[in-house]
Amino acid sequence: MRHFIALGAINGFLAVAFGAFAAHGLKGILSEGLLAVFQTGVEYQALHAVALLVVGVLGESAPRRGLRLAGWAFATGILLFSGSL
């Protein structure tokens, strides 16, 4: 389950980096609407990163198949949802 902790930490870092990039680097380039869409993707990435950390920590004490499935679902959600925005 440590891989979910690592995925959560990496995606948390990326969410902060992408959010800062959007706020400072894309503000004058993208329209307000596109910037809002980008920021929505970053917010969901950050929430999924926290969920991955929780799954990883819970899985360390009591590894269960359901936690593993939830972790992979959160990781896939980051790729599909946040990546598509």
Side-chain angles (χ1 to χ4, degrees), residues 46-70:
L47 290 172
H48 280 75
V50 171
L52 279 169
L53 290 171
V54 169
V55 165
V57 169
L58 289 176
E60 286 292 314
S61 62
R64 294 192 176 103
R65 183 175 179 215
L67 281 174
R68 201 171 326 121
L69 289 173

Side-chain angles (χ1 to χ4, degrees), residues 6-17:
L7 281 173
I10 290 166
N11 278 289
F13 167 78
L14 289 174
V16 171

Side-chain angles (χ1 to χ4, degrees), residues 72-83:
W72 288 118
F74 286 126
T76 303
I78 290 172
L79 288 174
L80 295 179
F81 182 76
S82 297

